[in-house]
Amino acid sequence: MSISQSSARDKAKILAEALPYIQRFHGKTIVVKYGGNAMVEENLKQGFARDVVLLKLVGMNPVIIHGGGPQIDLMLKRVGKQGEFIQGMRVTDAETMDVVEMVLGGSVNKDIVNLINRHGGKAVGLTGKDGAFIRAKKMLVKDRDKIGEWISIGQVGEIESVDPSLITLLDSQDFIPVIAPIGVGENGESYNINADLVAGKLAEILRAEKLILLTNTPGVLDKNGQLLTGLSAQRVDELFADGTISGGMLPKIGSALDAVKKGVKSCHIIDGRVEHALLLEILTDQGVGTLIRDL
Ligand SMILES: Nc1ncnc2c1ncn2[C@@H]1O[C@H](COP(=O)(O)OP(=O)(O)O)[C@@H](O)[C@H]1O
Ligand SMILES: CC(=O)N[C@@H](CCC(=O)OP(=O)(O)O)C(=O)O
């Protein structure tokens, strides 16, 4: 057999092996959080878009929620502001909120929509203000210095409710929703919401089969930098307590746990810097990253 014949055979074998996964997830909703840190290289972004289109074409309903923390930081720098985070949340004054809406609702959202469409999908970009589908209120965080007290970090939102009808309508017409994590308050004010929290809540409300969080680490790492392939709720509590989990990983794990407790079948934190990480996770039995379970 020639080399080209054997490599064609290998390819056919891999395609055939995807069949049980395609059958299992056909018609199911897969919520994908695309982190700002995973959107680093052009070829990876193209690969991500192709993977999403493929999932849709084989009958799944991918719903994309994107972040854009590093992209917001870049724009803040340009206008002479320094980004500040408290407990993984960006302190958001009115000027920062304008930048967040411009970057997340504008450039990052449209960039992803355009990429997916160029690869043959029908993506539609939304923020939670469209159809007022993500209602939010001001989030307060615990004051580290004064026990029992809470502080404001500006226009940072926590989700009050999500109306899934706009998303299901788009799904039913073969569109791929691409959502920027911006919510609307009762007086029409904008809220900057951490994208992991939006992804977790949407996965719950849409009764998703899977929640996949694409980020810039191989998964959740222990104190020695080793990948933790599976995490139970109890183990997560221990990792929170001993400080192994910090910064941007805090909201990720928090929302992953919430989602699995509320019925999402599985949640995975995976490395978006690996080519075709999405396909590896969904269509092969090669487990990648960290699986969070409700045990
Ligand atoms: N235990 C941990 N394992 C892996 N990453 C961690 C851990 N604790 C904190 N982190 C940090 O969380 C980051 C991922 O969160 P974040 O920067 O918000 O990414 P994203 O833009 O994908 O949401 C990692 O790059 C790492 O610096
Ligand atoms: C309140 C809050 O922190 N909002 C985030 C929203 C974007 C985000 O979550 O982006 P990543 O997923 O790339 O981290 C922010 O302003 O950076």
Side-chain angles (χ1 to χ4, degrees):
M1 201 186 328
S2 71
I3 291 178
S4 74
Q5 270 176 327
S6 84
S7 82
R9 246 176 217 216
D10 288 345
K11 280 186 194 152
K13 207 170 151 203
I14 290 166
L15 282 173
E17 278 173 6
L19 179 64
Y21 297 99
I22 294 175
Q23 284 170 324
R24 189 186 319 159
F25 301 134
H26 193 272
K28 300 279 165 61
T29 298
I30 312 270
V31 172
V32 180
K33 160 32 190 8
Y34 191 30
N37 277 307
M39 300 170 195
V40 278
E41 274 176 37
E42 195 47 39
N43 68 321
L44 283 174
K45 283 167 52 178
Q46 302 278 349
F48 169 80
R50 284 172 65 104
D51 291 358
V52 169
V53 172
L54 191 149
L55 295 177
K56 185 74 180 178
L57 283 176
V58 297
M60 298 172 205
N61 288 321
V63 174
I64 315 301
I65 292 89
H66 64 83
Q71 295 77 357
I72 297 168
D73 283 334
L74 217 69
M75 187 58 84
L76 282 175
K77 237 184 222 155
R78 281 207 210 155
V79 299
K81 276 179 94 87
Q82 176 75 33
E84 186 196 346
F85 284 83
I86 295 182
Q87 293 163 44
M89 301 290 154
R90 182 186 304 279
V91 178
T92 308
D93 61 12
E95 198 183 9
T96 303
M97 189 67 232
D98 286 345
V99 171
V100 168
E101 286 210 87
M102 241 162 54
V103 174
L104 293 186
S107 54
V108 173
N109 187 274
K110 297 310 160 210
D111 191 27
I112 300 170
V113 165
N114 200 30
L115 266 181
I116 293 176
N117 292 344
R118 273 170 45 212
H119 287 285
K122 295 199 296 176
V124 173
L126 305 165
T127 77
K129 282 183 157 176
D130 291 281
F133 90 98
I134 303 175
R135 296 207 174 260
K137 64 175 185 192
K138 195 183 184 73
M139 173 188 271
L140 297 174
V141 295
K142 275 186 190 157
D143 189 336
R144 286 232 166 117
D145 302 322
K146 295 186 197 133
I147 292 166
E149 292 203 16
W150 296 79
I151 49 171
S152 161
I153 46 173
Q155 282 172 258
V156 173
E158 66 179 81
I159 300 171
E160 276 208 302
S161 64
V162 175
D163 174 0
S165 55
L166 183 54
I167 307 301
T168 45
L169 176 72
L170 289 171
D171 277 345
S172 69
Q173 299 297 311
D174 288 335
F175 289 102
I176 301 170
V178 176
I179 301 160
I182 293 167
V184 59
E186 60 179 356
N187 298 313
E189 71 278 24
S190 304
Y191 282 108
N192 176 16
I193 312 176
N194 180 281
D196 299 320
L197 302 185
V198 174
K201 195 68 184 172
L202 263 169
E204 173 198 328
I205 302 267
L206 295 169
R207 299 174 210 278
E209 183 73 19
K210 274 180 189 282
L211 166 63
I212 301 178
L213 304 167
L214 285 164
T215 184
N216 67 339
T217 71
V220 183
L221 307 176
D222 68 13
K223 277 222 172 324
N224 304 315
Q226 296 296 313
L227 175 67
L228 297 160
T229 52
L231 279 181
S232 61
Q234 191 197 339
R235 185 79 183 103
V236 167
D237 284 341
E238 290 164 12
L239 296 172
F240 273 140
D242 72 6
T244 305
I245 294 168
S246 61
M249 196 49 78
L250 289 169
K252 243 179 265 307
I253 304 246
S255 57
L257 260 187
D258 261 7
V260 288
K261 279 187 183 156
K262 295 197 172 127
V264 176
K265 299 250 172 62
S266 67
C267 174
H268 309 256
I269 297 178
I270 68 172
D271 197 340
R273 300 163 308 173
V274 171
E275 231 180 320
H276 301 302
L278 262 188
L279 296 190
L280 277 173
E281 173 43 50
I282 300 169
L283 297 181
T284 74
D285 36 34
Q286 245 202 352
V288 285
T290 304
L291 166 69
I292 316 257
R293 293 160 304 160
D294 176 31
L295 285 176

